[in-house]
Every structure is written in C-alpha cells, then in structure tokens.
Amino acid sequence: MTTGLILVLVFFILVALNVPIGFAIGLSTLAALVAIMPFDPATTTMAQRMVAGLDSFTLLAIPFFILSGYLMGAGGVARRLIDAAKGLIGALPGGLAVVSIISSMLFGSVSGSAVAATSAIGSFMVPAMKKEGYDAPFAASVTTSASILGLLIPPSNVMIVYAVAAGGVSIGALFLAGYGPGLLAGLALVIAAVIVARKEGYPVSERLPFKDSIRTVFPAIPSIAMLVIVVGGIVSGIFTATEASAFAVVYSLILGVFVHREMAWKDLPGVIVKSAETTGIVLFLIAASTGMAWMLAYSGLPGAIAAALLTISDNPLLLLLLINVVLLIVGAFLDITPAILIFTPILLPVAVALGISPVHFGMILIFNLSIGLCTPPVGTVLFVGAAVGETKVAAMIKPMIPLYLAMLAALAVTTAVPALSEALPRFFGMM
C-alpha cells in the first residue's frame, strides 16, 4: 500500500509540474520501484515491464489503424463525407452544425482518431459555418464534441487497448458494442445542436433537389464501405483485428491514390512519418502505463479501492454513478490511452462483482474518458478544436455546455441500459 501511495503521489506532483504524461507515468512507477528495491534492479524491472506491455500481437493493429487514418485524411475522405452529409441533411435547422456532427462522427470512425477528425473536418466545416453566420466558438465546439464519437464507433484503437487491459475481451464484441452508444451520442448531439441553432437563429442551407442529394452520397460510399468490410470481416471470422487493420491500410492507400486521386506517391513518405510519430507516442504511453498498472497491482492498491467501493453500497446503479463521476474527473486530466490501462484493472473487478459484463463496462469506460478529451483543463481535442476554429478555449466553454449535457444524457442511458451495448454482440454470438 505504501508503494502504491508513493506512485500516486509522485505521479500527481509530476503532472502538476507539467511533465509530459508518458514521462510522469514512467517516472512515478520507477519511484515506487526504487522504494522497495535498489536503483539498478528497479530500472531493469521497469524496462522489462514496458517491453512486456508491448509484446502483444493484438497491439499490432494500432499502428496499422493509425496509418490507415492518416492515409484517409490525405486521400480526400473528409471532403467527400462532408459533401454527402450536407447533401442529405444540410437543409435542416442548424443544418451545417448537423453536417459537422455527422461528418466528424463518420471520419472519426474511419480514421480511429478524435484529433484527426477534429483537424480534418474542422478545417473544412468551421470556416464554412463562420461564413454562413455561425459563431466561431459554437462552430468549433460542435466539431470538437462530435469527433470523440469515432472512439465509440469502430474501428477504434482505444477499444483494442481496453481489450488488452481487460485480459482477453473479444475485440469483435467491443466493436459491435460501440454502435449503440456511439449512434445514441450522435443523435443527442444533433438534437442539442438543432435546439441551439433555432434559439440563436442560425441560417438554414438551401435544400438540394433529391437527385442532387443522392449524387453527393456516391463519392463517399467507398470510404464508408471500409467500416462495413473491417467490422464485418472481424465479426464473420474472415480475419482478425490485426489482419483487418492491415487490410484497412491497403484499402486506404488504393482509395487515396487510385480512386480519389488526391494523394500522390510522393506524399506517402510524409504520411508514413506522421503515422510513425503518432504510433511512437501511443505505444510509449501504452508501455509506460502497463508498467504503472503492474506496479499498482503489485502494491494491492486496486484491490483496496475495489473493496472500498463495494462497501459503499450494494446498489449497482449507485456504484456505477460513482464510477462515472470518477472517470469523468480522470478523463479531464489524463489522456484516454493511459487512463484505460491504469483504471481498467482497478475498476473492472468492481464492475464484474456488480454483475456488469466486461463489454458493457468497456463502453462505459471509453465513453467517459472520451468526454474527457474535450473537457478542460487537459482536453487534447478541445485545444485542437480551438486552434482549428481560430478561437479561444475559454470562449468555447459556454457553447459546449448543451453539448456536454447531451453527451452526459447519452452516457447515462448507456450506463443504465446494458442491452444498448450488448444486443449486437449477443446477436452475432460474440458474448
């Protein structure tokens, strides 16, 4: 318990000193190890645990999906998704806001990255919304909040991370489980955006003829088809998640170079370098977080926390409410990948003791921590949205409030209704 407390204390001190989160995780774990053994064995043990944390065939899917996302971004997918959404729903009240939500949700799902969705969709939609008379903070807020939905709708890198942290949960089951919460959250954001747009009197786009609306959809079909092929292939057993990620890279490359013809071969090295940089950051976070999770388990702190939570009440909904509050706070300070790796071994035993399946709990965990990505003070996606929208984070807080409320309402339904997450995995025999 003492080593666990040392780890937690050093970690929060380093975070308060603005030490990068990956280094804060690694150094705090090393400090806890040094408290129980000499320095040389401590560093060796830390290195071994970090390497062991990456020694997983399942994790190989992450760099492939990251590369696929960058290829999609460079290959003109964002603009085609925006055009399709605009043609179908642009004439609704607050139509451009709804288009931004749908486009961000679709691009986030095909790219697997909330940051990429915010950057790609925001660079198109925020200027268009400002030109039509929308306030810049609201335009940036809509894109920012919707981009996190791609983490709930597969293929999602964070679902793969959770599957590894939870110890053998089916990635296919998690992918299927994400559709219900993801689509519900998207619907909630659309309703909130329409209400705000009507209240503020934002303009409505001109309705396109039916034939023209349908025509805008066809260029986006190859991009959306990747979701069907990847998830369908995993669910049907045609290929594993890792094989699906490799297929996604080839598919994205063909789409950008030969179908859309918006990416030249000379652009490929730059795309690969960006992908490698992102992959390096993500895998370092996974390695450091795996070491911390092992150290926490060794200290007995997760078991103590789980036992303490179970003594508070035997009401599952009350404990889930408490877990949601804890995760929302954690998400505001920690990036989603290390948060999943650290808190899954702490909270999953509590959830299982309450009769909650690992798949349902995974959706609750990912949903909470995704909201944290657009929550100050450390919300990565929030800062990217402010930069893309050329506005300040402080100016975005007020227009974000109704969007936060919409996401929290969807989270509450996801938490209280297990069938929302479990229906599809059970239907396909994956639970």
Side-chain angles (χ1 to χ4, degrees), residues 11 40 64 72 99 102 132 176 267 281 284 291 337 378 391 413:
F11 172 73
D40 287 347
F64 280 127
M72 283 277 188
V99 168
I102 302 299
E132 291 291 325
L176 289 173
D267 300 326
I281 293 169
F284 179 75
T337 298
V378 191
T391 185
V413 175

Side-chain angles (χ1 to χ4, degrees), residues 39-98:
F39 182 78
D40 287 347
T43 54
T44 302
T45 301
M46 182 63 185
Q48 290 173 339
R49 290 297 165 182
M50 291 178 70
V51 171
L54 296 178
D55 186 17
S56 169
F57 181 74
T58 303
L59 288 178
L60 188 59
I62 292 179
F64 280 127
F65 276 129
I66 290 173
L67 177 55
S68 171
Y70 275 104
L71 290 170
M72 283 277 188
V77 172
R79 182 170 54 80
R80 286 166 174 80
L81 292 175
I82 290 171
D83 290 343
K86 191 173 182 179
L88 292 174
I89 56 179
L92 292 174
L96 284 184
V98 178

Side-chain angles (χ1 to χ4, degrees), residues 89-350:
I89 56 179
L92 292 174
L96 284 184
V98 178
V99 168
S100 183
I101 292 170
I102 302 299
S103 303
S104 296
M105 183 167 62
L106 288 173
F107 188 82
S109 60
V110 298
S111 69
S113 169
V115 171
T118 305
S119 302
I121 302 299
S123 62
F124 285 98
M125 286 305 306
V126 173
M129 292 174 71
K130 288 161 67 174
K131 185 177 179 180
E132 291 291 325
Y134 287 77
D135 291 336
F138 177 73
S141 297
V142 166
T143 304
T144 298
S145 58
S147 65
I148 69 167
L149 302 182
L151 302 178
L152 289 168
I153 300 175
S156 169
N157 290 334
V158 294
M159 289 184 184
I160 298 170
V161 173
Y162 172 76
V164 172
V169 178
S170 166
I171 295 176
L174 289 170
F175 277 8
L176 289 173
Y179 282 111
L183 294 175
L184 176 65
L187 177 61
L189 286 176
V190 166
I191 293 172
V194 169
I195 291 172
V196 171
R198 282 186 170 180
K199 180 181 176 183
E200 299 294 333
Y202 290 134
V204 178
S205 299
E206 182 180 352
R207 185 181 298 275
L208 292 176
F210 179 75
K211 288 184 179 180
D212 292 340
S213 297
I214 297 299
R215 195 176 292 118
T216 62
V217 176
F218 285 107
I221 289 177
S223 303
I224 300 173
M226 192 191 82
L227 296 177
V228 178
I229 296 171
V230 168
V231 178
I234 294 172
V235 171
S236 62
I238 296 175
F239 38 57
T240 65
T242 305
E243 292 165 344
S245 65
F247 169 82
V249 171
V250 177
Y251 186 92
S252 303
L253 184 63
I254 293 172
L255 201 63
V257 175
F258 298 107
V259 179
H260 295 162
R261 297 182 179 180
E262 292 197 16
M263 190 179 75
W265 287 110
K266 65 179 182 180
D267 300 326
L268 188 57
V271 171
I272 292 175
V273 168
K274 290 181 180 178
S275 173
E277 290 174 351
T278 303
T279 299
I281 293 169
V282 171
L283 293 183
F284 179 75
L285 284 171
I286 291 174
S289 300
T290 303
M292 176 180 273
W294 171 81
M295 190 65 231
L296 284 170
Y298 179 82
S299 71
L301 191 59
I305 293 173
L309 286 173
L310 290 171
T311 59
I312 294 174
S313 172
D314 57 358
N315 186 324
L317 287 179
L318 180 61
L319 283 176
L320 281 176
L321 175 62
L322 179 60
I323 289 173
N324 277 330
V325 171
V326 170
L327 289 174
L328 286 170
I329 295 172
V330 167
F333 292 92
L334 269 182
D335 190 66
I336 188 167
T337 298
I340 289 174
L341 289 166
I342 294 168
F343 284 90
T344 296
I346 294 175
L347 297 176
L348 182 57
V350 179

